[in-house]
Amino acid sequence: MDFQTDQIANTVLGTYDSLPAKYKPVKATDDFFQWVPLSGIVAVENNEQHPKCLSLGTGMKCLPVNQVAEAKGFVLRDWHAEIVAIRAFNHFLIQECLELATSPANTSTIIRRREAHELSAAEGLQPFAIHNDLQLHMYSSEAPCGDASMELLMEAQVDATPWPIDQLHLGRKKSPGLLRGRESFAELGIVRRKPARADSPQTLSKSCSDKLALKQCTSLLSSCTSLLVNPANAYLETLILPQSQCVEHACERCFRPSGRMQPVANKQWKGGYAFHPFKVRATNHEFSFSRRSKPASSKELRTSNIAAVYNPHIKEALILGRLQGRQKLDPKGASAICSKRMWNMTLQVLAALGTPKLLQSISESSRVQEWKKSALFADRQRVKAEATAEALSGWIRNNGDDFEVEPG
C-alpha cells in the first residue's frame, strides 16, 4: 500500500459518494443491507497528486445467452462493475473525440490529435491518442469474478466441495472455457463464464478476470473506440483492490506473465498493440456498499439490482442492462454505453472528421458484425485471436448481438 494507491481508490470512492441517491442501493435497515460491486478508472498525469475519475460503474449481472439476439445492441450484455466502468470509459473517449472533431478550437486533457508522422500501418491510423503523460488505473471494490477470486470463493464456502460440471445446452460437451465461476474449484488458471451461481440463467459472458486479462493485450478500448483512438497509451497501469480481496498468488496466476499469460509475455503486434501487464496493488479503503460494510444491526445481506454509470459526460441508473423505468426492449431505454449508441457515436465522429472513404471502406453492410470483419479491425482481431488461443484457451465468442449502425 502507498499514498498514490490509496489516493486513486479514494478518487473513485469520492466520485461515487457524490452521486445522488437514485444511483445507489437503498439505505441499510434493521432488516437488510444491500451491497453492490464498484469499479472506476482514474487518470494520473506524470504521477502527480491529482487523479481524475474518468468513469465508474456498479453492477453484478449479465444477459442470458437466449436473450442476446433480441437485445439488438440496446441492452448491455454484461453489467458487472468492471465492465460498466470500461464501457463508460470508452463512451468518455468517444465523446472527447467528437468534441475535438467538431471544432478545432476544442481541447481535451485526456485525448489529443495525432500528428501526421505518427500515422502508419505499423503504428495504427487512428486520428486520436491518449496523452502520453497519462497513466490509467482501476479501483475495484471486489476481486474480479473468475480466476482471480477462486481462493476467496473457496474460503467463503461452508462446503468447499466443487460443484459438479453441468452441461451448457449447445449440443456438445462442455469445454473448460465454459465452466461457471463456482464449478470445479480444483481447476485454476482457466477461462470461466458468468454467472457463478448454478441456479442463474446460462450466459457466454466471460468472467471479469478473463476480460481484464485480455485487456492487457487489446487495451481498454472497445471495437468502435479502436477506430478512433490509438491503443498504445490505453492500457491499465494498476488494478487496485481492497486488502481483503487481494490474494497475491491468485492475481499472479491470473494476470501476470509468470502465470497463465506467459505465452504472450513481451509480445508486440501491429497497430500499437502489445502485452502490457498491470500491477495489482492493495488498499485498506473499503467501499461503503461492499459486502464487508454490512452493519451488525442489519439482519440480512442482499444484492442491489441498480447499476450506476458515470463519466464526466453522463450519469445513468440501469436495471437489467437498460435505463431504470424503461420496458425491456424499448429503444428509449438504451443506455449511453450500450453497443448501439456507442457505434452510432463513432460514426458521428468519423463523419465530423470528413472521412467518407473510411466509412465506405469498413463495409458495404450497415450491420456491426459485418463491420468487425473489415480490414480496419484486422490488427485488433489478430491480437484477440492470438491471446485467446495461446493464453486464454477455452474462450468462447458471445455472438448473436447484431444490429444496424447509423450516425446519431
Side-chain angles (χ1 to χ4, degrees):
M1 288 171 281
D2 56 51
F3 175 76
Q4 189 184 64
T5 296
D6 290 341
Q7 193 177 36
I8 291 167
N10 281 333
T11 298
V12 175
L13 295 171
T15 303
Y16 182 84
D17 288 343
S18 70
L19 296 178
K22 65 177 286 188
Y23 302 101
K24 301 174 182 178
V26 298
K27 289 185 177 181
T29 69
D30 289 342
D31 292 325
F32 65 89
F33 172 80
Q34 285 192 342
W35 75 280
V36 70
L38 166 71
S39 289
I41 295 175
V42 169
V44 179
E45 182 179 355
N46 278 339
N47 293 315
E48 289 188 358
Q49 307 305 320
H50 303 288
K52 180 179 181 180
C53 183
L54 301 184
S55 70
L56 66 75
T58 64
M60 54 196 305
K61 303 291 183 182
C62 47
L63 196 65
V65 67
N66 61 2
Q67 296 180 23
V68 169
E70 67 181 20
K72 302 184 185 303
F74 288 117
V75 182
L76 300 191
R77 291 192 298 188
D78 183 344
W79 54 98
H80 279 223
E82 295 92 334
I83 309 309
V84 173
I86 291 171
R87 295 190 70 85
F89 171 72
N90 277 270
H91 177 278
F92 171 78
L93 294 183
I94 298 171
Q95 183 64 46
E96 293 286 292
C97 290
L98 182 59
E99 293 183 6
L100 290 182
T102 52
S103 173
N106 290 336
T107 60
S108 169
T109 59
I110 306 299
I111 292 289
R112 64 176 179 86
R113 284 181 176 269
R114 298 176 76 201
E115 302 290 340
H117 68 84
E118 297 179 272
L119 308 179
S120 70
E123 297 302 324
L125 299 172
Q126 298 91 342
F128 302 103
I130 294 173
H131 284 296
N132 296 337
D133 57 357
L134 291 180
Q135 290 185 343
L136 301 174
H137 307 266
M138 174 180 274
Y139 166 81
S140 288
S141 65
E142 306 286 333
C145 65
D147 196 51
S149 61
M150 290 307 296
E151 282 80 355
L152 292 170
L153 190 60
M154 286 185 272
E155 184 181 306
Q157 302 301 306
V158 176
D159 177 6
T161 304
W163 291 355
I165 300 175
D166 67 346
Q167 293 293 319
L168 182 62
H169 302 296
L170 296 178
R172 59 180 175 81
K173 290 184 178 180
K174 179 182 299 204
S175 75
L178 292 175
L179 288 179
R180 284 179 182 255
R182 296 181 186 177
E183 288 175 344
S184 193
F185 289 155
E187 298 289 337
L188 299 175
I190 64 169
V191 173
R192 293 177 176 272
R193 62 186 170 88
K194 303 167 181 171
R197 288 177 49 180
D199 59 350
S200 299
Q202 302 277 9
T203 84
L204 287 179
S205 289
K206 270 62 67 181
S207 76
C208 290
S209 287
D210 300 320
K211 290 185 176 182
L212 289 173
L214 182 60
K215 291 295 183 184
Q216 296 180 121
C217 301
T218 61
S219 82
L220 289 172
L221 305 180
S222 61
S223 293
C224 55
T225 319
S226 71
L227 275 178
L228 306 173
V229 180
N230 188 266
N233 297 329
Y235 290 88
L236 277 181
E237 183 73 18
T238 313
L239 172 64
I240 298 168
L241 302 171
Q243 184 69 59
S244 64
Q245 296 295 291
C246 189
V247 180
E248 186 174 344
H249 64 272
C251 293
E252 187 84 13
R253 176 186 68 236
C254 181
F255 301 121
R256 302 294 295 173
S258 56
R260 64 176 178 169
M261 302 305 291
Q262 189 278 330
V264 294
N266 302 316
K267 271 210 168 187
Q268 292 185 324
W269 294 273
K270 281 181 58 181
Y273 293 98
F275 177 60
H276 286 271
F278 50 71
K279 299 179 286 293
V280 180
R281 297 285 184 261
T283 178
N284 283 326
H285 295 271
E286 287 276 7
F287 179 39
S288 58
F289 289 101
S290 78
R291 284 179 288 191
R292 298 165 298 283
S293 297
K294 173 183 171 292
S297 58
S298 294
K299 298 175 185 176
E300 184 183 350
L301 187 65
R302 297 181 186 176
T303 58
S304 172
N305 64 349
I306 293 178
V309 182
Y310 165 86
N311 69 38
H313 298 293
I314 57 167
K315 297 185 187 74
E316 292 181 340
L318 310 182
I319 292 182
L320 299 178
R322 57 187 179 272
L323 293 177
Q324 186 176 19
R326 292 290 182 176
Q327 294 298 314
K328 184 176 181 181
L329 297 178
D330 181 0
K332 293 181 180 179
S335 165
I337 66 169
C338 74
S339 295
K340 174 87 170 179
R341 291 186 63 182
M342 294 229 288
W343 276 95
N344 290 349
M345 266 181 69
T346 300
L347 259 67
Q348 282 186 277
V349 177
L350 294 175
L353 289 170
T355 53
K357 290 184 179 180
L358 178 61
L359 289 169
Q360 186 176 3
S361 70
I362 293 173
S363 175
E364 294 182 358
S365 172
S366 62
R367 303 197 70 82
V368 70
Q369 293 300 334
E370 290 300 316
W371 277 49
K372 289 183 178 181
K373 297 175 184 177
S374 162
L376 291 174
F377 294 97
D379 290 342
R380 186 177 189 276
Q381 295 291 6
R382 186 177 299 110
V383 174
K384 188 172 182 179
E386 289 188 17
T388 54
E390 297 174 17
L392 299 168
S393 60
W395 189 283
I396 306 296
R397 286 185 61 86
N398 194 0
N399 292 320
D401 191 11
D402 196 15
F403 50 87
E404 291 189 354
V405 182
E406 53 198 20

